[in-house]
Amino acid sequence: MEYALQIEHLKKTYPGFSLKDISLQLPKGNIMGLIGENGAGKSTTIKAILDLIQKDGGEIKILGRSMETDRKTLNEEIGVVFDTINFNETLTPKQVGKICGNSYRNWDIEQYKAYLEKFRLPEGKQLKTFSKGMQVKLCIAVALSHHAKILLLDEATSGLDPVMRDEILDIFLEFVQDEEHSILVSSHITSDLEKVADYIAFLKDGQILLSEPKDRLIYQYGILRCKNGVFEQMDRGDILAYRKMDYQYEVLVADKKAAEKKYRDAVVDTATLEEIMLLYIKGEFR
């Protein structure tokens, strides 16, 4: 299998926080969603991928190469959108296009103009007059207009209304359709990832708790709801995380159908990404 992104044993320590042995693989032609609560390490991981921070250990390869040795080529092939605008706010979209034309060998001015029109971004207005959503759309237009092979997106859709988010997600799906392009997107909007992601990686406190194909999480994982007596009799190996509610337990299980057969006095429901994330964040472990 060819990988667009490989992270092996990434470590980075700050006072009060550290990434602990992060390993991820994003197969080429796919979208991976990176989820977790604020402060879990999503942005730090993306900055480490881009070599914007000095890592304390581990190896990162993008399209089979390292930013440390092949930065110039990889900068052309990576499209980046952070949750804040990375252009001077006194610039206009037209001026941004000229700067990018001098920065990227493969800059496509016609494609850029088409995205400005599609996103209804006026060419002549300064970026400081734009809403946060408009600024994010501009950054997405730039990322999509220099023929990048991989997109790294940090909360890229968080400032957009639901209609525009849906439109952007469709663009992301088109981007990877030829199986030559790939996306890593961190987001707290799990419904967006349920629509577009092929893989989900869940970060908590600087650690990867799970990295799975999305379809496995959606169609095989389940939430078992039961009384105290059933919970106390459960095999510990079946419990990924659990939470005690007022009158019952909610238990995250990895095999919904097996749990239904094994624990007939319990109810087992399909789990959404949000429910899985909340149980890992707020739940307990045995």
Side-chain angles (χ1 to χ4, degrees):
M1 183 180 291
E2 288 189 74
Y3 292 103
L5 175 66
Q6 295 169 278
I7 304 174
E8 302 292 342
H9 307 296
L10 171 64
K11 299 180 180 70
K12 176 63 183 179
T13 298
Y14 293 106
F17 174 79
S18 62
L19 290 180
K20 308 174 185 74
D21 200 29
I22 301 293
S23 293
L24 289 174
Q25 292 81 37
L26 170 58
K28 193 175 179 181
N30 289 274
I31 299 175
M32 174 176 279
L34 193 60
I35 65 174
E37 60 188 326
N38 290 339
K42 302 188 299 296
S43 295
T44 303
T45 300
I46 290 177
K47 288 176 182 177
I49 294 169
L50 293 167
D51 202 33
L52 297 178
I53 58 175
Q54 185 175 356
K55 58 184 183 290
D56 297 327
E59 184 179 11
I60 299 174
K61 288 187 178 180
I62 307 167
L63 304 170
R65 288 163 284 166
S66 168
M67 285 290 283
E68 296 169 352
T69 58
D70 215 349
R71 179 183 297 274
K72 187 173 182 180
T73 301
L74 285 174
N75 279 339
E76 292 281 337
E77 297 182 340
I78 301 171
V80 182
V81 181
F82 290 111
D83 59 348
T84 55
I85 194 164
N86 49 349
F87 297 107
N88 190 304
E89 292 191 338
T90 62
L91 296 173
T92 65
K94 187 173 182 178
Q95 291 170 324
V96 168
K98 289 181 179 179
I99 292 170
C100 291
N102 293 325
S103 302
Y104 295 108
R105 293 194 312 270
N106 295 323
W107 180 248
D108 190 335
I109 187 61
E110 295 305 320
Q111 184 164 301
Y112 177 66
K113 288 181 177 179
Y115 277 122
L116 292 184
E117 184 175 349
K118 185 181 186 70
F119 296 156
R120 297 181 292 280
L121 300 175
E123 282 191 280
K125 286 195 173 182
Q126 290 185 328
L127 303 187
K128 64 183 178 182
T129 68
F130 284 13
S131 66
K132 181 180 179 182
M134 293 172 71
Q135 292 179 350
V136 169
K137 285 188 282 186
L138 176 74
C139 293
I140 291 172
V142 170
L144 292 168
S145 296
H146 61 87
H147 299 288
K149 293 182 180 178
I150 181 170
L151 298 183
L152 302 179
L153 312 171
D154 189 1
E155 299 288 353
T157 61
S158 62
L160 305 177
D161 62 67
V163 174
M164 181 52 68
R165 281 209 331 266
D166 196 62
E167 190 174 337
I168 294 293
L169 294 177
D170 286 339
I171 291 172
F172 292 163
L173 288 172
E174 289 174 11
F175 181 77
V176 300
Q177 195 169 26
D178 63 358
E179 300 185 358
E180 293 295 321
H181 296 83
S182 314
I183 299 175
L184 176 69
V185 51
S186 81
S187 179
H188 66 277
I189 307 174
T190 54
S191 59
D192 286 357
L193 299 180
E194 285 186 358
K195 177 176 179 179
V196 302
D198 301 289
Y199 294 86
I200 297 292
F202 179 52
L203 268 172
K204 182 182 180 183
D205 298 329
Q207 299 181 78
I208 295 288
L209 290 191
L210 65 83
S211 181
E212 299 276 7
K214 180 198 67 182
D215 285 351
R216 183 182 176 198
L217 295 175
I218 297 299
Y219 298 116
Q220 292 188 28
Y221 275 50
I223 305 238
L224 182 148
R225 295 179 169 88
C226 64
K227 300 295 185 181
N228 182 70
V230 175
F231 178 76
E232 292 300 331
Q233 295 297 318
M234 288 186 69
D235 292 337
R236 290 194 173 188
D238 294 334
I239 301 172
L240 299 179
Y242 71 93
R243 186 163 55 158
K244 190 178 187 309
M245 311 301 285
D246 290 338
Y247 303 105
Q248 64 180 5
Y249 281 86
E250 290 185 350
V251 183
L252 183 65
V253 294
D255 190 329
K256 178 176 61 178
K257 290 184 179 180
E260 286 174 343
K261 292 179 181 179
K262 191 171 182 179
Y263 305 106
R264 296 187 179 276
D265 292 332
V267 175
V268 186
D269 297 320
T270 298
T272 65
L273 287 182
E274 183 171 356
E275 288 172 324
I276 292 170
M277 184 174 76
L278 286 175
L279 266 169
Y280 268 119
I281 291 172
K282 295 185 176 181
E284 300 178 61
F285 304 90
R286 297 188 77 171

